[in-house]
Amino acid sequence: MKKYILITASLILGVFLVSACSKSQSNEKKKVAVVISTLNNPWFVILAESAAENARKLGYEAKIFDSQNSPAVESDNFENLISSEFDAILFNPTDADGSVSNVLRAKAAGIPVFCMDREINNDDAATSQILSDNYSGCVEVGIEFVKALKEKGTYVEILGLVGDNNTWARSKGFHSVVDKFSNLKMVAQQSGDFDRNKAMEVLETIMQAYPNIDAVFCGNDAMALGAYQALQAAGKTKVKVFGFDGASEVIEKIKEGKIVATGMQYPKIMAKTAAQYADEYVKGKRDFPQRVPVEVELVNSANAKNY
Amino acid sequence: MKKIIISSVLAVVAIYNSIYIESLDELKQKKESNFDFAKYSQDLYQQILSKSQAVELSQLLSSFATKDHASVAKYGNRLGIGSSAYYLVKCQAKILEVQGDRLKVLASGNRPLEIDTKFIFGNAIRDASGLVKLTDFKTTAEFNKISESLNTIIREKAIPDEIKTVKVGDTIDLVGAVKLGEKQEDLLNLSVLPIKISKI
């Protein structure tokens, strides 16, 4: 008899614990992971923090993962957040091709992925990709470049990460204009990995072979600032520098006439849209556009005061 | 000794044939599809001209001036998120000045306009047409190549042929693309990317 009482009591306790547990789970906040290519660049810090902040505003618990520009670290991050059962991922990939498998793993685990700023080369893996219109932005930078150089001169292009689609979209947009002007000669094209110090070193090396360049086009503003630093150190103050991003330091330099132009991207808009989409997905929506371009605006000396 | 030489030669041949190097640019180009962008763009150019869904420039600008948002939204095309949209416009205009690659014209309603025949680049014309969807293409790079191809037809063939036939004082029919911001207030200094210029 004592045995039956014990078994019955255990069963009641078990049922109570399970019900308490499930009640506590239903009260638990849903979780959004923000996976960012690198937090070693202020632009991506803004993107990450805006994404997390918007997710929190929508009632989610948000955690930021730094992939340190390494596909291997990114893969570990995905493994971690899949096993931790996150409800959505706001994702800034490290590599257009290399990151696809991570997104597919999340998809297989039933976790929607919303790419921010950087595109992956697959139109069926991510739920949606919210991307700067890098090509159009760099077409405008290219037109400004041609006009500023009066259609002639020699220049250097410093590319971003070679595995990132944004690098090539920017380069292609720029060259779609500049290559039509035969008196503009590119003497060197090298990667600066979107990194300020690397761009500075790259330009210092290039200038040993080509000391008389007229301009430098950089795939982002961090590299434009690195290039500007290298030019200052070499006393080459007349070389025209062009960037892309719309970093506040570069906007200031445009106002001072030290950098010619940049393309203004809107990381906060991309982050907010991605968080909103994730929230809509969690609430049941399934029909999202695969790619959503976000306008990029040209900033030059004529309009820098507005930014 | 002979055996060693033969083995070495075979090894070198095997290694040489197992590795090949190509530039990143070439690799990226190869990865893109074999889609015939030139043909697609030629057809698109004809469609833009034949469908003639362009709005009268004066009508568009009057909607802008009176903040008639519904009309502005109806005429414009925007692909994603942003404060600007592209518009396919048409008007009659008198050529006032030819400054290199720019035509200064006076459009109907005494509106001065600049037609930029040199910097016909970017996605303005493709997007203003409203005839191409981002979902029609697998990658953004392919989608952008449509613009490059279309712009090349207009910038390097159509417009140079057409402006040869016009001079200061002529009246022309213009079809073009214009980008306007939501809060754009300066409607007086507009620059239009031409798609077709025909002397009347």
Side-chain angles (χ1 to χ4, degrees):
Chain A
M1 184 62 186
K2 206 172 170 185
K3 204 175 165 187
Y4 287 121
I5 292 171
L6 258 176
I7 291 170
T8 313
S10 304
L11 278 172
I12 292 168
L13 184 66
V15 168
F16 172 77
L17 283 174
V18 167
S19 114
C21 189
S22 65
K23 194 176 176 187
S24 105
Q25 266 178 2
S26 69
N27 282 343
E28 245 177 39
K29 278 186 176 177
K30 287 191 178 288
K31 296 184 294 182
V32 168
V34 179
V35 185
I36 295 291
S37 60
T38 175
L39 292 177
N40 197 21
N41 176 329
W43 195 91
F44 291 111
V45 174
I46 292 173
L47 184 72
E49 287 178 351
S50 303
E53 190 190 325
N54 278 290
R56 285 186 196 112
K57 275 187 194 163
L58 291 163
Y60 295 86
E61 187 186 315
K63 187 174 177 188
I64 298 173
F65 295 79
D66 179 4
S67 302
Q68 298 166 25
N69 264 340
S70 156
V73 176
E74 181 182 281
S75 185
D76 290 345
N77 284 337
F78 266 73
E79 205 169 299
N80 185 3
L81 61 90
I82 288 169
S83 63
S84 304
E85 296 179 346
F86 274 80
D87 296 284
I89 302 168
L90 311 184
F91 181 41
N92 172 247
T94 54
D95 190 287
D97 291 312
S99 298
V100 173
S101 60
N102 290 329
V103 179
L104 287 171
R105 272 162 60 210
K107 187 182 178 185
I111 306 173
V113 179
F114 300 87
C115 291
M116 302 182 291
D117 176 54
R118 287 182 174 176
E119 185 179 19
I120 55 165
N121 287 332
N122 187 311
D123 57 359
D124 194 31
T127 307
S128 185
Q129 306 195 56
I130 300 112
L131 314 161
S132 273
D133 191 351
N134 291 287
Y135 176 89
S136 297
C138 278
V139 165
E140 293 203 36
V141 173
I143 291 172
E144 189 75 4
F145 184 94
V146 172
K147 289 178 179 172
L149 270 79
K150 298 190 170 57
E151 301 179 24
K152 64 173 184 212
T154 54
Y155 72 94
V156 169
E157 180 183 10
I158 305 184
L159 297 162
L161 290 162
V162 292
D164 175 22
N165 278 9
N166 287 355
T167 296
W168 298 107
R170 292 174 195 175
S171 184
K172 280 183 179 172
F174 175 78
H175 284 287
S176 75
V177 180
V178 176
D179 291 0
K180 301 292 177 191
F181 296 85
S182 56
N183 290 326
L184 285 167
K185 309 265 186 221
M186 182 170 72
V187 293
Q189 182 192 49
Q190 217 170 307
S191 170
D193 289 345
F194 288 136
D195 182 83
R196 181 173 184 155
N197 290 334
K198 176 135 191 227
M200 187 172 77
E201 287 163 16
V202 162
L203 188 59
E204 279 168 354
T205 309
I206 292 171
M207 281 195 296
Q208 287 171 14
Y210 303 100
N212 298 315
I213 54 169
D214 298 297
V216 185
F217 168 62
C218 300
N220 78 348
D221 278 351
M223 296 194 297
L225 289 165
Y228 175 75
Q229 238 172 303
L231 291 163
Q232 286 293 298
K236 297 186 180 300
T237 52
K238 288 188 179 168
V239 178
K240 295 178 165 60
V241 179
F242 297 77
F244 194 86
D245 272 349
S248 52
E249 199 179 340
V250 166
I251 302 293
E252 285 311 309
K253 289 214 164 10
I254 291 173
K255 288 177 188 166
E256 292 164 12
K258 292 172 177 169
I259 286 181
V260 181
T262 187
M264 173 63 77
Q265 294 195 85
Y266 291 96
K268 289 183 180 177
I269 289 178
M270 284 188 271
K272 188 177 178 184
T273 308
Q276 277 171 350
Y277 279 14
D279 181 47
E280 287 168 13
Y281 185 96
V282 169
K283 289 175 177 161
K285 185 177 172 183
R286 290 294 179 270
D287 181 26
F288 292 91
Q290 178 54 218
R291 288 182 177 80
V292 181
V294 178
E295 187 181 2
V296 173
E297 293 170 6
L298 177 78
V299 184
N300 57 17
S301 59
N303 67 357
K305 62 180 186 298
N306 302 330
Y307 292 91
Chain B
M1 183 63 183
K2 206 174 167 185
K3 225 175 176 180
I4 295 171
I5 293 170
I6 291 168
S7 307
S8 307
V9 170
L10 285 174
V12 168
V13 170
I15 291 169
Y16 179 79
N17 284 319
S18 64
I19 299 170
Y20 74 94
I21 295 167
E22 63 183 329
S23 77
L24 275 170
D25 278 353
E26 282 170 10
L27 183 69
K28 285 205 87 73
Q29 272 171 13
K30 272 189 188 175
K31 279 168 76 178
E32 284 163 15
S33 69
N34 294 321
F35 185 80
D36 190 344
F37 290 95
K39 184 179 181 314
Y40 180 95
S41 302
Q42 187 61 50
D43 294 345
L44 176 62
Y45 175 60
Q46 293 305 329
Q47 270 191 65
I48 292 172
L49 298 178
S50 66
K51 287 202 171 178
S52 65
Q53 73 280 50
V55 57
E56 276 293 339
L57 181 66
S58 55
Q59 193 181 339
L60 172 68
L61 297 180
S62 140
S63 301
F64 246 87
T66 56
K67 299 193 190 319
D68 176 0
H69 300 299
S71 299
V72 168
K74 187 177 78 184
Y75 302 135
N77 283 302
R78 179 188 300 140
L79 287 175
I81 300 168
S83 61
S84 308
Y86 295 101
Y87 301 84
L88 195 64
V89 295
K90 61 182 176 188
C91 67
Q92 271 195 3
K94 186 177 179 186
I95 300 177
L96 300 178
E97 229 180 303
V98 181
Q99 289 183 336
D101 298 289
R102 284 170 185 272
L103 302 180
K104 293 208 164 185
V105 301
L106 195 63
S108 30
N110 281 337
R111 182 175 296 280
L113 271 187
E114 199 172 82
I115 304 173
D116 186 345
T117 62
K118 181 188 278 187
F119 291 101
I120 303 175
F121 296 101
N123 295 328
I125 296 174
R126 180 199 68 192
D127 293 349
S129 80
L131 295 171
V132 194
K133 291 188 200 117
L134 184 50
T135 46
D136 295 343
F137 295 89
K138 275 198 171 289
T139 66
T140 310
E142 288 181 353
F143 189 50
N144 291 332
K145 270 187 113 173
I146 294 299
S147 289
E148 282 181 22
S149 241
L150 177 65
N151 292 339
T152 303
I153 292 166
I154 296 169
R155 187 185 62 244
E156 294 180 8
K157 180 80 181 87
I159 293 298
D161 286 352
E162 287 160 7
I163 54 176
K164 269 185 216 158
T165 65
V166 299
K167 59 181 188 306
V168 172
D170 286 347
T171 302
I172 55 166
D173 265 332
L174 170 71
V175 178
V178 67
K179 179 184 178 182
L180 293 172
E182 262 169 13
K183 292 175 186 164
Q184 182 148 344
E185 290 185 352
D186 182 7
L187 298 173
L188 290 174
N189 298 299
L190 287 182
S191 180
V192 177
L193 290 185
I195 300 169
K196 186 163 183 60
I197 295 172
S198 3
K199 185 177 170 180
I200 297 176

